[in-house]
Amino acid sequence: MARKIQAIRGMNDILPDQSSVWLYLEKTVAEVVKSYGYQQIRFPIVENTDLFKRGVGETTDIVEKEMYTFEDRNGESLTLRPEGTASCVRAADQAGLLFNQVQRLWYTGPMFRYERPQKGRYRQFHQIGVESFGMATADIDAELIVLSARLWQKLGLLEHVELQLNTIGLASEREAYKAALVDYLTEFKDQLDEDSQRRLSTNPLRILDSKEEATQAILQGAPSLDEFIGEESQSHFERLQTILKANRVPYVINRRLVRGLDYYGKTVFEWVTTHLGAQATVCAGGRYDGLVEQLGGKPTPAVGFAMGIERLVLLLETLSLIPSEAKFSADVFVVSIGDDAEVASTRLAEQLRETLPSLVVLRHCGGGNFKNQMKKADRSEARFTVILGQDEVEQGVCQVKDMSTGEQQTCAFEDLPAYISGNL
Ligand code: ATP
Ligand code: MG
């Protein structure tokens, strides 16, 4: 036997019993974002490597060690997108959608990061991203957060997630803070974990969200970012909080929240849950007023977030929050005996699908005796089985069996849709 080829580590197949949950989640998101006026944008999963180096930042975890980068046949360096924001900016700016305009965009699709696979962390994973451009005031930050809260509410997740909020100020404020932080931490350099020691010279802000206890203990005495936040950032942050309060969206302020990507400034936020272990963040985002310009466009204020679909699916499953309508199930199973009945049954099934488009109508294909076909009907868990033989075809009727009661009755072809919808 030929050796079977397996999927790549950390890259999962979404099998039929899971894909219905994905569809439910994606459909719910599509409805919510549309109600706020967001339009979908689609862009390639491969981009020039420079887009992410410049967009996400050279000293971020993503660019330093997580990207799938390869040379194509003419030696160009390409990268499988590790996130969507940089691509979204590239695509929107390339199409001339950003300069002097307001845009509300969203996207969904696979992202690729070379990380250690574990529950809630994969090498191919999927995000839904929501981005807004051209709006500098805190009301749009609030809109995105309220939108996400509405989504949690629709999914039944609102009480299971917590909103953490911070402001990381303007670039100049962060620079001043970085200098103070480095000054302080340099004294304790030997006691820091290895990653943090390296970040001291590359990306000191990221030390703040180190998971190492020893490092966290040292950080207790470190200068605090909020002392470096200027008037403009502070009033932006307060305005955001006022609007969140008015919309009854609870939050906690987490002064250590900095986010792993370089492009953020002012508002940053994460929705976290206690139900998924270490992979606690289901949605994360913030303001990135500098990114469009950094990627060669005109200065354009922007704010957005991305959520991890796998983590949300896990959360919905863990909390048993998947509504029964979202699960796939057959409603009607059609069996037939004999050539004429086979043909007639295809017509009958079409008639049902035409009149009742939301029904799942499964027709038995491939012949076989009556007993076998009825076994398949049973296994399909369909609520009704429709049976057609030569006699029925000649009389223009069929037998309908209610699989929950076992009752069977004769029904004229033309009355079948009404009978099914009336008894479902
Ligand atoms: P983390 O701190 O968990 O590594 P991150 O800061 O790298 O997350 P973002 O780049 O902000 O994550 O991505 C937004 C969301 O995408 C995350 O909150 C998470 O839900 C999801 N996500 C990120 N990386 C992965 C991954 N490797 N596998 C599955 N989901 C992921
Ligand atoms: Mg990460």
Side-chain angles (χ1 to χ4, degrees), residues 39-48 51-52 55 81 83-99 101 103 105-107 131 133 288 291-292 295-297 300:
Q39 284 185 283
Q40 200 186 48
I41 182 168
R42 304 187 186 207
F43 34 79
I45 57 168
V46 182
E47 298 275 355
N48 274 305
L51 176 69
F52 303 114
R81 64 184 185 196
E83 58 109 51
T85 303
S87 307
C88 184
V89 167
R90 200 267 314 131
D93 194 41
Q94 187 175 325
L97 299 180
L98 296 186
F99 181 55
Q101 293 165 73
Q103 293 291 350
L105 305 174
W106 74 283
Y107 55 82
E131 318 278 1
F133 298 95
Y288 52 94
L291 181 63
V292 178
L295 291 175
T300 306

Side-chain angles (χ1 to χ4, degrees), residues 62 66 82-83 113 115 118 120-127 206 209 211 259-261 263-264 270-271 278-285 305-312:
I62 292 181
E66 295 175 358
E83 58 109 51
R113 296 184 195 176
E115 301 197 71
Q118 52 198 295
R121 193 176 293 286
Y122 312 101
R123 288 179 174 174
Q124 173 172 328
F125 64 100
H126 298 75
Q127 284 184 341
R206 287 282 288 164
D209 61 13
K211 306 262 184 313
R259 310 279 306 110
L261 301 90
Y263 48 61
Y264 289 111
E270 289 192 358
W271 288 94
Q279 274 55 256
T281 305
V282 292
C283 174
F305 67 76
M307 51 198 150
I309 300 187
E310 283 83 355
R311 289 186 197 177
L312 286 169

